[in-house]
Each structure stands twice: as C-alpha cells, then as structure tokens.
Amino acid sequence: AADCGLGRSMKTKKNVGIKRGKADEIIAWLRERALIVNADPQFLYGVARLIVFGSYLTDKVKLGDLDIAIELGPKCKRVHLHEELLCMEQERSAPVHIQRDLVARVFWPRWKVMRALRGRNYAISFHEYDEFKLLRKEGIASGKLLYRNKQFDR
C-alpha cells in the first residue's frame, strides 16, 4: 500500500488509540520537528501552520488519533526556481515506487515533509489545512493552533 503522506496508507488503516498524556508528548515532539524541517534545506516546503482538531479537543482520556491540519508553503519564493527545484527533487530523492507513479512523484516533496514530521508516530493523521478551513466554516470542526511560521505562508 502506498503511503500518501496524509493519513496512513491508502489501503490499510491501523486502529490507533492513544492516551491524552501520550498525545501531549507527540504534539510537543511535532512542534520540535516543524522547527527542524523548517531549518533543513533538504526540504523544499516549510511548515506554515499546524492545527490540532478532533477528539484531542474533547475531555476524553483515550483518543482515537491526532487529527492535525497542516499548511505547507514553498521555502523558495521565486516561483520558477521553486519549480526547477521540485523537478530535481522528484527525480533525485523519491523512492523507486514513487518515481514510477506520476501523481506520487508530483506530491513527493510535500509527502517528504509530512513523513519527516510524523516519524514513526502513526497516531498522527495529517489533513490539508484547506480541508480543515472548510470543516471549520461549516461548523463541523474547531481547532487549536499548535505551530505558526508566517515565513512559509502560501
């Protein structure tokens, strides 16, 4: 099953359950990882925003997973140069199974950031920030800002 970067693999879903204390540790770790990714030139995208939503915002002791809305922005603000860097990154560092798939190759630089942020914490379920904004607009979800770096706004 291909790892799509957002959430878990597209074919399998691990049944994850974590206690609130562990969730707090993961969130602190995620903030640190965002700082590391943003400082590392190997990543073409920086983390602009991380927002937790879902069961974490309830009083439950045992949570399902950590729903994290993520907004990434290009580190290079010159559009043509960023596009060139993306092409080079897609060819250079994408795993073989990603290189064979055109769509996966296009999204690889973003997935690479999300994989670095997640590490081996499968309790984290990433969602695009725009998806969260839509849920919030429709009154379905509210969130708590965990991390913000305006340098990488889109």
Side-chain angles (χ1 to χ4, degrees):
D3 180 354
C4 59
L6 297 172
R8 285 161 293 283
S9 114
M10 295 187 296
K11 289 188 180 177
T12 62
K13 183 172 182 177
K14 294 183 180 185
N15 191 4
V16 176
I18 57 171
K19 293 183 179 176
R20 181 161 302 278
K22 180 66 174 173
D24 291 337
E25 290 174 20
I26 292 171
I27 284 174
W29 183 83
L30 191 56
R31 286 180 174 134
E32 290 174 26
R33 294 296 303 165
L35 290 169
I36 291 167
V37 164
N38 284 351
D40 191 333
Q42 77 165 309
F43 298 103
L44 299 180
Y45 287 95
V47 180
R49 187 182 333 236
L50 295 171
I51 297 174
V52 65
F53 66 102
S55 63
Y56 182 80
L57 299 181
T58 68
D59 292 334
K60 293 180 182 179
V61 175
K62 178 101 173 180
L63 310 172
D65 57 8
L66 280 174
D67 292 303
I68 305 290
I70 183 170
E71 180 180 19
L72 300 177
K75 288 185 176 180
C76 178
K77 297 302 181 186
R78 294 183 8 219
V79 176
H80 293 318
L81 179 56
H82 178 70
E83 289 173 358
E84 285 179 35
L85 292 169
L86 285 174
C87 288
M88 291 179 353
E89 174 71 14
Q90 291 159 358
E91 292 173 10
R92 184 188 57 196
S93 75
V96 173
H97 71 280
I98 297 287
Q99 290 180 1
R100 291 185 199 140
D101 180 337
L102 177 62
V103 174
R105 207 168 55 229
V106 168
F107 287 100
W108 169 246
R110 296 174 59 80
W111 294 349
K112 183 177 172 183
V113 170
M114 288 181 258
R115 287 172 68 169
L117 288 171
R118 177 184 290 121
R120 295 189 182 269
N121 283 310
Y122 293 103
I124 298 171
S125 180
F126 285 119
H127 303 269
E128 290 286 348
Y129 177 67
D130 291 339
E131 174 190 347
F132 169 75
K133 283 193 328 188
L134 183 63
L135 293 172
R136 186 179 59 198
K137 181 179 177 184
E138 295 185 12
I140 297 170
S142 62
K144 177 182 174 188
L145 184 65
L146 300 176
Y147 178 84
R148 184 79 170 100
N149 186 328
K150 293 180 181 182
Q151 177 183 354
F152 302 117
D153 281 356
R154 291 183 277 166

Short mmCIF file of all heavy atoms in Angstrom, two decimals, residues 47-103:
data_model
loop_
_atom_site.label_atom_id
_atom_site.label_comp_id
_atom_site.label_asym_id
_atom_site.label_seq_id
_atom_site.Cartn_x
_atom_site.Cartn_y
_atom_site.Cartn_z
N VAL A 47 6.88 24.33 7.06
CA VAL A 47 5.62 24.20 7.78
C VAL A 47 5.16 25.60 8.17
O VAL A 47 5.82 26.29 8.94
CB VAL A 47 5.79 23.33 9.04
CG1 VAL A 47 4.47 23.21 9.79
CG2 VAL A 47 6.35 21.96 8.67
N ALA A 48 4.03 26.01 7.61
CA ALA A 48 3.47 27.32 7.92
C ALA A 48 2.56 27.25 9.13
O ALA A 48 2.52 28.17 9.95
CB ALA A 48 2.69 27.85 6.72
N ARG A 49 1.82 26.12 9.25
CA ARG A 49 0.82 26.06 10.30
C ARG A 49 0.50 24.60 10.64
O ARG A 49 0.40 23.77 9.74
CB ARG A 49 -0.42 26.77 9.78
CG ARG A 49 -1.52 26.98 10.69
CD ARG A 49 -2.73 27.66 10.02
NE ARG A 49 -2.43 28.50 8.89
CZ ARG A 49 -2.77 29.78 8.78
NH1 ARG A 49 -3.39 30.38 9.77
NH2 ARG A 49 -2.50 30.45 7.71
N LEU A 50 0.34 24.32 11.92
CA LEU A 50 -0.16 23.04 12.41
C LEU A 50 -1.31 23.33 13.37
O LEU A 50 -1.16 24.15 14.28
CB LEU A 50 0.93 22.27 13.17
CG LEU A 50 2.14 21.81 12.38
CD1 LEU A 50 3.22 21.27 13.32
CD2 LEU A 50 1.75 20.75 11.36
N ILE A 51 -2.43 22.68 13.16
CA ILE A 51 -3.61 22.86 14.00
C ILE A 51 -4.13 21.49 14.40
O ILE A 51 -4.32 20.63 13.54
CB ILE A 51 -4.71 23.64 13.25
CG1 ILE A 51 -4.21 25.04 12.92
CG2 ILE A 51 -6.00 23.68 14.06
CD1 ILE A 51 -5.14 25.86 12.06
N VAL A 52 -4.35 21.28 15.68
CA VAL A 52 -4.95 20.03 16.13
C VAL A 52 -6.46 20.24 16.20
O VAL A 52 -6.94 21.30 16.59
CB VAL A 52 -4.37 19.56 17.49
CG1 VAL A 52 -4.72 20.52 18.61
CG2 VAL A 52 -4.81 18.15 17.81
N PHE A 53 -7.20 19.20 15.80
CA PHE A 53 -8.65 19.25 15.91
C PHE A 53 -9.15 17.83 16.17
O PHE A 53 -8.37 16.90 16.28
CB PHE A 53 -9.28 19.89 14.66
CG PHE A 53 -9.11 19.11 13.38
CD1 PHE A 53 -10.16 18.36 12.87
CD2 PHE A 53 -7.91 19.13 12.67
CE1 PHE A 53 -10.01 17.64 11.69
CE2 PHE A 53 -7.77 18.44 11.49
CZ PHE A 53 -8.82 17.67 10.99
N GLY A 54 -10.44 17.68 16.31
CA GLY A 54 -11.00 16.35 16.55
C GLY A 54 -11.01 15.99 18.02
O GLY A 54 -11.15 16.85 18.89
N SER A 55 -10.83 14.71 18.31
CA SER A 55 -11.01 14.19 19.67
C SER A 55 -10.04 14.79 20.68
O SER A 55 -10.35 14.82 21.88
CB SER A 55 -10.90 12.66 19.69
OG SER A 55 -9.61 12.24 19.28
N TYR A 56 -8.91 15.31 20.24
CA TYR A 56 -7.95 15.92 21.17
C TYR A 56 -8.57 17.11 21.91
O TYR A 56 -8.21 17.40 23.04
CB TYR A 56 -6.69 16.36 20.43
CG TYR A 56 -5.64 16.95 21.35
CD1 TYR A 56 -4.81 16.11 22.09
CD2 TYR A 56 -5.50 18.32 21.51
CE1 TYR A 56 -3.86 16.63 22.96
CE2 TYR A 56 -4.55 18.85 22.37
CZ TYR A 56 -3.74 18.01 23.10
OH TYR A 56 -2.80 18.52 23.95
N LEU A 57 -9.52 17.78 21.28
CA LEU A 57 -10.12 18.97 21.89
C LEU A 57 -11.26 18.63 22.85
O LEU A 57 -11.88 19.52 23.40
CB LEU A 57 -10.62 19.92 20.79
CG LEU A 57 -9.53 20.44 19.86
CD1 LEU A 57 -10.12 21.39 18.83
CD2 LEU A 57 -8.41 21.11 20.62
N THR A 58 -11.54 17.34 23.03
CA THR A 58 -12.56 16.91 23.99
C THR A 58 -11.89 16.62 25.33
O THR A 58 -10.69 16.75 25.48
CB THR A 58 -13.28 15.64 23.48
OG1 THR A 58 -12.35 14.55 23.50
CG2 THR A 58 -13.83 15.84 22.07
N ASP A 59 -12.70 16.18 26.29
CA ASP A 59 -12.18 15.83 27.61
C ASP A 59 -11.82 14.35 27.71
O ASP A 59 -11.48 13.87 28.79
CB ASP A 59 -13.22 16.17 28.69
CG ASP A 59 -13.43 17.66 28.86
OD1 ASP A 59 -12.49 18.42 28.53
OD2 ASP A 59 -14.51 18.07 29.29
N LYS A 60 -11.90 13.62 26.62
CA LYS A 60 -11.64 12.18 26.65
C LYS A 60 -10.21 11.89 27.11
O LYS A 60 -9.28 12.60 26.74
CB LYS A 60 -11.83 11.57 25.26
CG LYS A 60 -13.26 11.59 24.78
CD LYS A 60 -13.34 10.96 23.39
CE LYS A 60 -14.74 11.00 22.85
NZ LYS A 60 -14.81 10.41 21.51
N VAL A 61 -10.05 10.83 27.89
CA VAL A 61 -8.73 10.39 28.33
C VAL A 61 -8.07 9.58 27.23
O VAL A 61 -6.88 9.70 26.97
CB VAL A 61 -8.83 9.57 29.64
CG1 VAL A 61 -7.48 9.01 30.03
CG2 VAL A 61 -9.42 10.42 30.75
N LYS A 62 -8.87 8.73 26.55
CA LYS A 62 -8.37 7.89 25.45
C LYS A 62 -8.88 8.50 24.14
O LYS A 62 -10.07 8.71 23.97
CB LYS A 62 -8.88 6.46 25.63
CG LYS A 62 -8.49 5.53 24.54
CD LYS A 62 -7.35 4.66 24.95
CE LYS A 62 -7.13 3.63 23.85
NZ LYS A 62 -6.08 2.73 24.09
N LEU A 63 -7.94 8.78 23.25
CA LEU A 63 -8.26 9.41 21.97
C LEU A 63 -8.11 8.40 20.84
O LEU A 63 -7.41 7.41 20.98
CB LEU A 63 -7.32 10.59 21.73
CG LEU A 63 -7.16 11.58 22.88
CD1 LEU A 63 -6.07 12.57 22.57
CD2 LEU A 63 -8.47 12.29 23.14
N GLY A 64 -8.72 8.70 19.71
CA GLY A 64 -8.53 7.85 18.54
C GLY A 64 -7.16 8.09 17.95
O GLY A 64 -6.19 7.39 18.22
N ASP A 65 -7.02 9.14 17.21
CA ASP A 65 -5.72 9.55 16.67
C ASP A 65 -5.64 11.06 16.80
O ASP A 65 -6.58 11.69 17.26
CB ASP A 65 -5.53 9.08 15.23
CG ASP A 65 -6.61 9.57 14.28
OD1 ASP A 65 -7.46 10.40 14.67
OD2 ASP A 65 -6.62 9.14 13.12
N LEU A 66 -4.52 11.60 16.42
CA LEU A 66 -4.34 13.06 16.46
C LEU A 66 -4.60 13.61 15.07
O LEU A 66 -3.82 13.38 14.15
CB LEU A 66 -2.92 13.41 16.90
CG LEU A 66 -2.64 13.34 18.38
CD1 LEU A 66 -1.16 13.57 18.64
CD2 LEU A 66 -3.46 14.37 19.12
N ASP A 67 -5.70 14.32 14.92
CA ASP A 67 -6.01 14.97 13.65
C ASP A 67 -5.27 16.30 13.61
O ASP A 67 -5.53 17.18 14.44
CB ASP A 67 -7.52 15.18 13.51
CG ASP A 67 -8.26 13.86 13.37
OD1 ASP A 67 -7.91 13.11 12.42
OD2 ASP A 67 -9.15 13.58 14.18
N ILE A 68 -4.36 16.41 12.66
CA ILE A 68 -3.53 17.61 12.53
C ILE A 68 -3.73 18.21 11.15
O ILE A 68 -3.45 17.56 10.13
CB ILE A 68 -2.03 17.29 12.72
CG1 ILE A 68 -1.77 16.57 14.05
CG2 ILE A 68 -1.18 18.54 12.56
CD1 ILE A 68 -1.94 17.42 15.28
N ALA A 69 -4.23 19.45 11.12
CA ALA A 69 -4.30 20.19 9.86
C ALA A 69 -2.92 20.80 9.62
O ALA A 69 -2.33 21.38 10.54
CB ALA A 69 -5.37 21.27 9.93
N ILE A 70 -2.42 20.65 8.41
CA ILE A 70 -1.08 21.14 8.09
C ILE A 70 -1.13 22.02 6.86
O ILE A 70 -1.82 21.72 5.88
CB ILE A 70 -0.11 19.95 7.88
CG1 ILE A 70 1.31 20.45 7.61
CG2 ILE A 70 -0.60 19.02 6.78
CD1 ILE A 70 2.35 19.34 7.64
N GLU A 71 -0.44 23.14 6.96
CA GLU A 71 -0.26 24.03 5.81
C GLU A 71 1.23 24.12 5.53
O GLU A 71 2.01 24.45 6.41
CB GLU A 71 -0.82 25.42 6.08
CG GLU A 71 -0.66 26.35 4.90
CD GLU A 71 -1.22 27.74 5.16
OE1 GLU A 71 -1.41 28.12 6.33
OE2 GLU A 71 -1.46 28.44 4.17
N LEU A 72 1.59 23.78 4.30
CA LEU A 72 2.97 23.87 3.86
C LEU A 72 3.08 24.99 2.84
O LEU A 72 2.15 25.23 2.07
CB LEU A 72 3.43 22.56 3.22
CG LEU A 72 3.38 21.32 4.10
CD1 LEU A 72 3.79 20.09 3.29
CD2 LEU A 72 4.25 21.47 5.32
N GLY A 73 4.22 25.63 2.82
CA GLY A 73 4.48 26.66 1.83
C GLY A 73 5.88 26.51 1.28
O GLY A 73 6.76 25.97 1.96
N PRO A 74 6.10 26.96 0.05
CA PRO A 74 7.44 26.83 -0.53
C PRO A 74 8.46 27.66 0.22
O PRO A 74 8.19 28.79 0.64
CB PRO A 74 7.26 27.35 -1.96
CG PRO A 74 6.02 28.17 -1.93
CD PRO A 74 5.17 27.65 -0.82
N LYS A 75 9.64 27.09 0.40
CA LYS A 75 10.72 27.83 1.04
C LYS A 75 11.30 28.86 0.09
O LYS A 75 11.70 29.94 0.50
CB LYS A 75 11.82 26.87 1.51
CG LYS A 75 11.41 26.04 2.71
CD LYS A 75 12.55 25.20 3.22
CE LYS A 75 12.17 24.45 4.48
NZ LYS A 75 13.27 23.62 4.98
N CYS A 76 11.34 28.51 -1.19
CA CYS A 76 11.83 29.44 -2.21
C CYS A 76 10.65 30.23 -2.75
O CYS A 76 9.71 29.65 -3.29
CB CYS A 76 12.53 28.66 -3.34
SG CYS A 76 13.10 29.72 -4.67
N LYS A 77 10.69 31.53 -2.62
CA LYS A 77 9.55 32.37 -3.04
C LYS A 77 9.59 32.73 -4.53
O LYS A 77 8.62 33.24 -5.05
CB LYS A 77 9.50 33.65 -2.20
CG LYS A 77 9.26 33.39 -0.73
CD LYS A 77 7.97 32.64 -0.48
CE LYS A 77 7.74 32.41 0.99
NZ LYS A 77 6.59 31.56 1.26
N ARG A 78 10.71 32.44 -5.19
CA ARG A 78 10.79 32.69 -6.64
C ARG A 78 10.18 31.47 -7.34
O ARG A 78 10.73 30.38 -7.33
CB ARG A 78 12.23 32.92 -7.05
CG ARG A 78 12.76 34.20 -6.42
CD ARG A 78 14.17 34.62 -6.78
NE ARG A 78 14.84 33.88 -7.81
CZ ARG A 78 16.13 33.57 -7.77
NH1 ARG A 78 16.85 33.91 -6.72
NH2 ARG A 78 16.70 32.93 -8.75
N VAL A 79 9.02 31.67 -7.96
CA VAL A 79 8.20 30.57 -8.49
C VAL A 79 8.97 29.69 -9.47
O VAL A 79 8.95 28.46 -9.35
CB VAL A 79 6.91 31.13 -9.15
CG1 VAL A 79 6.11 30.02 -9.80
CG2 VAL A 79 6.08 31.87 -8.12
N HIS A 80 9.66 30.28 -10.44
CA HIS A 80 10.36 29.46 -11.45
C HIS A 80 11.47 28.63 -10.82
O HIS A 80 11.64 27.46 -11.17
CB HIS A 80 10.92 30.34 -12.57
CG HIS A 80 9.85 30.99 -13.40
ND1 HIS A 80 8.73 30.32 -13.81
CD2 HIS A 80 9.75 32.24 -13.91
CE1 HIS A 80 7.96 31.14 -14.52
NE2 HIS A 80 8.56 32.31 -14.60
N LEU A 81 12.20 29.22 -9.90
CA LEU A 81 13.28 28.47 -9.23
C LEU A 81 12.69 27.35 -8.38
O LEU A 81 13.20 26.23 -8.37
CB LEU A 81 14.14 29.41 -8.37
CG LEU A 81 15.27 28.74 -7.60
CD1 LEU A 81 16.20 27.96 -8.55
CD2 LEU A 81 16.05 29.78 -6.82
N HIS A 82 11.60 27.63 -7.68
CA HIS A 82 10.94 26.60 -6.87
C HIS A 82 10.51 25.43 -7.76
O HIS A 82 10.71 24.26 -7.39
CB HIS A 82 9.73 27.18 -6.13
CG HIS A 82 8.98 26.18 -5.33
ND1 HIS A 82 9.48 25.61 -4.18
CD2 HIS A 82 7.76 25.62 -5.52
CE1 HIS A 82 8.60 24.75 -3.70
NE2 HIS A 82 7.55 24.75 -4.49
N GLU A 83 9.95 25.73 -8.91
CA GLU A 83 9.51 24.66 -9.83
C GLU A 83 10.69 23.84 -10.33
O GLU A 83 10.60 22.61 -10.43
CB GLU A 83 8.72 25.25 -10.99
CG GLU A 83 7.35 25.76 -10.56
CD GLU A 83 6.62 26.51 -11.65
OE1 GLU A 83 7.18 26.69 -12.77
OE2 GLU A 83 5.48 26.94 -11.39
N GLU A 84 11.80 24.47 -10.61
CA GLU A 84 13.01 23.74 -11.02
C GLU A 84 13.50 22.84 -9.89
O GLU A 84 13.87 21.68 -10.12
CB GLU A 84 14.14 24.72 -11.42
CG GLU A 84 13.95 25.37 -12.76
CD GLU A 84 15.09 26.34 -13.06
OE1 GLU A 84 16.25 26.06 -12.66
OE2 GLU A 84 14.81 27.38 -13.69
N LEU A 85 13.52 23.37 -8.68
CA LEU A 85 13.95 22.58 -7.53
C LEU A 85 13.03 21.38 -7.30
O LEU A 85 13.48 20.29 -6.97
CB LEU A 85 14.01 23.45 -6.28
CG LEU A 85 15.10 24.53 -6.26
CD1 LEU A 85 14.88 25.48 -5.09
CD2 LEU A 85 16.48 23.91 -6.22
N LEU A 86 11.73 21.59 -7.53
CA LEU A 86 10.78 20.49 -7.38
C LEU A 86 11.08 19.37 -8.37
O LEU A 86 11.09 18.19 -8.00
CB LEU A 86 9.34 20.98 -7.61
CG LEU A 86 8.70 21.78 -6.49
CD1 LEU A 86 7.34 22.31 -6.92
CD2 LEU A 86 8.57 20.95 -5.23
N CYS A 87 11.33 19.72 -9.61
CA CYS A 87 11.65 18.71 -10.63
C CYS A 87 12.90 17.93 -10.25
O CYS A 87 12.94 16.69 -10.36
CB CYS A 87 11.83 19.35 -11.99
SG CYS A 87 10.30 19.93 -12.72
N MET A 88 13.92 18.64 -9.79
CA MET A 88 15.16 17.97 -9.40
C MET A 88 14.91 17.05 -8.20
O MET A 88 15.41 15.93 -8.16
CB MET A 88 16.25 18.99 -9.07
CG MET A 88 16.73 19.73 -10.31
SD MET A 88 18.02 21.00 -10.08
CE MET A 88 18.26 21.19 -8.39
N GLU A 89 14.13 17.50 -7.25
CA GLU A 89 13.83 16.71 -6.05
C GLU A 89 13.05 15.45 -6.41
O GLU A 89 13.32 14.37 -5.88
CB GLU A 89 13.03 17.55 -5.06
CG GLU A 89 12.54 16.81 -3.83
CD GLU A 89 13.64 16.46 -2.86
OE1 GLU A 89 14.74 17.00 -2.97
OE2 GLU A 89 13.39 15.63 -1.97
N GLN A 90 12.10 15.58 -7.31
CA GLN A 90 11.29 14.44 -7.70
C GLN A 90 12.13 13.35 -8.34
O GLN A 90 11.90 12.16 -8.13
CB GLN A 90 10.17 14.88 -8.65
CG GLN A 90 9.13 15.73 -7.96
CD GLN A 90 8.32 16.59 -8.92
OE1 GLN A 90 8.55 16.59 -10.12
NE2 GLN A 90 7.38 17.32 -8.39
N GLU A 91 13.12 13.74 -9.10
CA GLU A 91 13.98 12.77 -9.77
C GLU A 91 15.06 12.23 -8.84
O GLU A 91 15.43 11.07 -8.92
CB GLU A 91 14.65 13.41 -10.99
CG GLU A 91 13.68 13.75 -12.10
CD GLU A 91 14.34 14.53 -13.22
OE1 GLU A 91 15.58 14.64 -13.24
OE2 GLU A 91 13.60 15.04 -14.07
N ARG A 92 15.55 13.07 -7.95
CA ARG A 92 16.72 12.72 -7.14
C ARG A 92 16.39 11.88 -5.92
O ARG A 92 17.04 10.88 -5.65
CB ARG A 92 17.43 13.99 -6.72
CG ARG A 92 18.71 13.76 -5.94
CD ARG A 92 19.25 15.04 -5.39
NE ARG A 92 18.18 15.61 -4.56
CZ ARG A 92 18.13 16.84 -4.15
NH1 ARG A 92 19.07 17.67 -4.48
NH2 ARG A 92 17.15 17.29 -3.41
N SER A 93 15.40 12.27 -5.15
CA SER A 93 15.26 11.64 -3.84
C SER A 93 14.00 10.80 -3.65
O SER A 93 13.84 10.17 -2.61
CB SER A 93 15.32 12.69 -2.73
OG SER A 93 14.12 13.41 -2.68
N ALA A 94 13.10 10.79 -4.63
CA ALA A 94 11.89 10.00 -4.46
C ALA A 94 12.22 8.51 -4.53
O ALA A 94 13.01 8.08 -5.37
CB ALA A 94 10.87 10.36 -5.53
N PRO A 95 11.63 7.71 -3.63
CA PRO A 95 11.84 6.26 -3.71
C PRO A 95 11.37 5.71 -5.05
O PRO A 95 10.54 6.31 -5.73
CB PRO A 95 10.96 5.72 -2.56
CG PRO A 95 10.72 6.87 -1.67
CD PRO A 95 10.78 8.10 -2.53
N VAL A 96 11.87 4.55 -5.42
CA VAL A 96 11.56 3.96 -6.73
C VAL A 96 10.06 3.81 -6.94
O VAL A 96 9.54 4.13 -8.01
CB VAL A 96 12.28 2.60 -6.89
CG1 VAL A 96 11.84 1.89 -8.15
CG2 VAL A 96 13.78 2.80 -6.88
N HIS A 97 9.33 3.34 -5.93
CA HIS A 97 7.88 3.15 -6.11
C HIS A 97 7.17 4.48 -6.34
O HIS A 97 6.13 4.52 -6.98
CB HIS A 97 7.26 2.38 -4.93
CG HIS A 97 7.19 3.14 -3.65
ND1 HIS A 97 8.29 3.28 -2.82
CD2 HIS A 97 6.17 3.80 -3.05
CE1 HIS A 97 7.93 4.01 -1.76
NE2 HIS A 97 6.67 4.33 -1.89
N ILE A 98 7.72 5.58 -5.85
CA ILE A 98 7.15 6.90 -6.09
C ILE A 98 7.50 7.37 -7.50
O ILE A 98 6.66 7.93 -8.20
CB ILE A 98 7.67 7.92 -5.05
CG1 ILE A 98 7.25 7.54 -3.64
CG2 ILE A 98 7.26 9.34 -5.39
CD1 ILE A 98 5.81 7.76 -3.29
N GLN A 99 8.71 7.12 -7.95
CA GLN A 99 9.15 7.57 -9.27
C GLN A 99 8.33 6.94 -10.38
O GLN A 99 8.19 7.53 -11.44
CB GLN A 99 10.64 7.27 -9.47
CG GLN A 99 11.52 8.15 -8.61
CD GLN A 99 13.00 7.88 -8.80
OE1 GLN A 99 13.39 7.02 -9.58
NE2 GLN A 99 13.82 8.60 -8.06
N ARG A 100 7.80 5.76 -10.16
CA ARG A 100 7.00 5.08 -11.20
C ARG A 100 5.60 5.65 -11.34
O ARG A 100 4.91 5.37 -12.30
CB ARG A 100 6.89 3.59 -10.87
CG ARG A 100 8.18 2.86 -10.99
CD ARG A 100 7.94 1.37 -10.77
NE ARG A 100 9.20 0.74 -10.45
CZ ARG A 100 9.35 -0.20 -9.54
NH1 ARG A 100 8.32 -0.64 -8.85
NH2 ARG A 100 10.53 -0.72 -9.32
N ASP A 101 5.17 6.42 -10.37
CA ASP A 101 3.80 6.93 -10.33
C ASP A 101 3.84 8.45 -10.50
O ASP A 101 4.34 9.16 -9.64
CB ASP A 101 3.18 6.54 -8.98
CG ASP A 101 1.75 7.00 -8.81
OD1 ASP A 101 1.32 7.96 -9.47
OD2 ASP A 101 1.05 6.40 -7.98
N LEU A 102 3.30 8.94 -11.60
CA LEU A 102 3.37 10.37 -11.92
C LEU A 102 2.75 11.23 -10.83
O LEU A 102 3.35 12.22 -10.40
CB LEU A 102 2.69 10.66 -13.27
CG LEU A 102 2.65 12.13 -13.67
CD1 LEU A 102 4.05 12.68 -13.85
CD2 LEU A 102 1.82 12.31 -14.93
N VAL A 103 1.57 10.88 -10.36
CA VAL A 103 0.91 11.69 -9.33
C VAL A 103 1.73 11.68 -8.04
O VAL A 103 1.95 12.72 -7.43
CB VAL A 103 -0.53 11.18 -9.07
CG1 VAL A 103 -1.17 11.92 -7.91
CG2 VAL A 103 -1.37 11.34 -10.33
#
